[in-house]
Amino acid sequence: MEKRKLASVQYVHHITPIEGADRIECVHVLGWQCVANKGQFQVGDSCVYMEVDAFLPVCDRFEFLRSSSYKKSELLGEGFRLRTQKFRGQISQGLVQPLSILPEGDYQIGDDVTDLLGIRKWEVEEYATSGGTVTGEFPEGISKTDELRVQSYPTLIDELRQVPAYYISTKMDGTSVTMYWRDGHFGVCGRNWEYADDGKCAMWKYAHEHNIPELLAQYHLSDLALQGEFCGPGIQKNRLKLTRPEWYVFNVIDLATRERYPLHRMQELCDRLQLQMVPIEEEGEAFPYDSVEVLLERAKGKYPSGMNKEGIVIRPVEPVYSGTIDAPLSMKVLNNDYLLQGDSGKAHQKSAVK
């Protein structure tokens, strides 16, 4: 899969005014819109675009973000986390800066400058939700679960409009968990690590309670990885309001071929293993959505708990390779109402514009 470009060279394809604002305007890059100082950019300008969830280093060039974006974590240390915000009622996602923040060089549209700027991905400490003992890194040969956002790859919309059938699932608010059976070994992993079966790990406890290792062995299901969202008390903000952990499967991978199961085959397997899948909101033959803006509206909604849902994931019913992302065609669309809740559940209105 194409590596996520947290910071890349892009160009401004249009600019829109913000009603009642004299000093700021909306700058549009890829499928994103960012609030910037009025006149700072012109249509056609090359720029550096930094995505939401980019964790920027503490340095003079980013110091203007301190009041709105400063974070400190045990995992990443100090830095500035970019997130969805609102200015004068206008959503802003990410940060657009002039090319002058880069060292001198010949840059092309699409160049990844993440490492050049010392930018990392914001991540919450995995140990806090697992309670387990790490035995090693995420196993080789199993792809990690990291859906790409439609705003970064708007051409994926055109690819989906070419497939014979599609489906939309609810993006559950939790943490990614992979359970796999390979060469007689059953393993349980979080997003980045594999964990020991020592009675401490909530994910292992769930696997035993639901007899997952035994059922995989009983049905002779070897060389298989099941991936899903682990949700419940103590995980994120538990917006589903669950009283005990639940696991919602969204991927089944044949490890021998490294191919993803089609939707209906995944549903049959989950029924057989008595596992929950992520809710399927919609399934159809012709993909009816034709723009980022329409999909952002489609992504809105609430969980049964009444809390804003995180968003949606869109895929072909039968897996299709995407040359755009060098992986099976798939994309996520996050709910801006969810994103604006932030860590506290309240919308952020602070200014991060110089």
Side-chain angles (χ1 to χ4, degrees):
M1 175 181 282
E2 164 135 344
K3 179 184 175 184
R4 182 178 176 184
K5 298 176 182 178
L6 293 169
S8 60
V9 177
Q10 301 295 341
Y11 74 95
V12 177
H13 56 75
H14 70 284
I15 296 173
T16 53
I18 299 174
E19 186 176 353
D22 297 327
R23 301 176 60 185
I24 56 176
E25 59 192 357
C26 257
V27 174
H28 299 259
V29 177
L30 294 171
W32 301 98
Q33 62 179 34
C34 304
V35 171
N37 292 318
K38 186 170 285 189
Q40 186 178 10
F41 298 97
Q42 302 298 320
V43 172
D45 280 355
S46 293
C47 61
V48 177
Y49 171 67
M50 289 158 272
E51 287 195 6
V52 169
D53 285 336
F55 193 56
L56 282 53
V58 173
C59 59
D60 290 344
R61 71 166 68 96
F62 299 132
E63 190 60 32
F64 69 96
L65 295 167
R66 181 170 292 275
S67 63
S68 64
S69 307
Y70 175 80
K71 288 284 185 180
K72 183 176 182 180
S73 81
E74 293 182 12
L75 180 66
L76 298 172
E78 294 182 285
F80 305 118
R81 178 195 177 187
L82 299 183
R83 62 182 311 142
T84 299
Q85 299 188 69
K86 260 190 178 182
F87 303 87
R88 297 291 187 93
Q90 186 65 58
I91 285 177
S92 180
Q93 294 181 300
L95 179 66
V96 177
Q97 290 287 278
L99 285 184
S100 59
I101 71 168
L102 298 174
E104 287 190 17
D106 182 20
Y107 299 101
Q108 304 297 318
I109 300 300
D111 283 354
D112 187 342
V113 293
T114 304
D115 294 338
L116 195 61
L117 291 171
I119 292 172
R120 295 168 292 165
K121 184 178 184 296
W122 171 262
E123 293 186 270
V124 177
E125 289 86 341
E126 188 173 295
Y127 312 109
T129 56
S130 71
T133 303
V134 170
T135 61
E137 295 185 352
F138 196 89
E140 291 187 11
I142 304 177
S143 57
K144 289 188 178 182
T145 60
D146 193 10
E147 296 286 345
L148 300 172
R149 294 196 196 187
V150 64
Q151 293 101 318
S152 294
Y153 298 91
T155 55
L156 292 179
I157 297 173
D158 295 328
E159 291 189 32
L160 277 160
R161 290 173 68 82
Q162 303 302 314
V163 303
Y166 73 96
Y167 70 97
I168 297 177
S169 61
T170 305
K171 191 170 191 319
M172 307 302 272
D173 185 35
T175 187
S176 174
V177 167
T178 297
M179 301 189 191
Y180 72 96
W181 181 271
R182 183 168 60 185
D183 299 328
H185 170 73
F186 179 79
V188 173
C189 313
R191 182 172 296 279
N192 298 305
W193 309 98
E194 183 163 352
Y195 289 88
D197 182 15
D198 57 4
K200 299 177 182 178
C201 178
M203 302 175 294
W204 263 106
K205 290 176 183 177
Y206 184 92
H208 286 309
E209 287 171 3
H210 291 79
N211 301 312
I212 298 174
E214 293 80 7
L215 288 169
L216 289 173
Q218 177 184 329
Y219 293 119
H220 308 290
L221 296 169
S222 59
D223 293 325
L224 199 68
L226 299 101
Q227 298 179 312
E229 200 75 4
F230 197 62
C231 308
I235 303 172
Q236 303 289 18
K237 297 294 181 180
N238 189 20
R239 290 181 172 89
L240 292 165
K241 301 298 182 185
L242 299 174
T243 57
R244 55 182 299 167
E246 298 289 354
W247 189 45
Y248 301 91
V249 175
F250 55 71
N251 268 351
V252 177
I253 302 171
D254 183 329
L255 296 180
T257 63
R258 298 195 179 184
E259 292 181 353
R260 183 181 288 170
Y261 273 28
L263 171 63
H264 299 140
R265 190 179 175 195
M266 179 166 58
Q267 289 172 321
E268 289 170 0
L269 180 66
C270 287
D271 285 344
R272 197 175 185 186
L273 299 177
Q274 300 178 29
L275 296 174
Q276 295 185 88
M277 269 188 58
V278 290
I280 305 301
E281 297 185 10
E282 181 178 329
E283 186 177 348
E285 294 183 354
F287 190 63
Y289 307 100
D290 60 3
S291 70
V292 171
E293 292 74 22
V294 170
L295 284 171
L296 288 171
E297 283 300 311
R298 175 64 182 81
K300 292 182 178 180
K302 297 183 182 296
Y303 294 124
S305 65
M307 302 290 287
N308 287 322
K309 70 179 182 182
E310 188 175 355
I312 56 176
V313 174
I314 309 171
R315 293 176 171 175
V317 168
E318 295 282 338
V320 173
Y321 173 80
S322 167
T324 301
I325 59 175
D326 190 26
L329 178 56
S330 182
M331 65 183 182
K332 68 182 177 184
V333 189
L334 297 189
N335 176 6
N336 282 331
D337 293 338
Y338 166 93
L339 293 173
L340 287 168
Q341 289 177 333
D343 295 329
S344 65
K346 298 179 181 178
H348 286 259
Q349 299 282 349
K350 296 179 181 178
S351 173
V353 181
K354 265 199 275 193

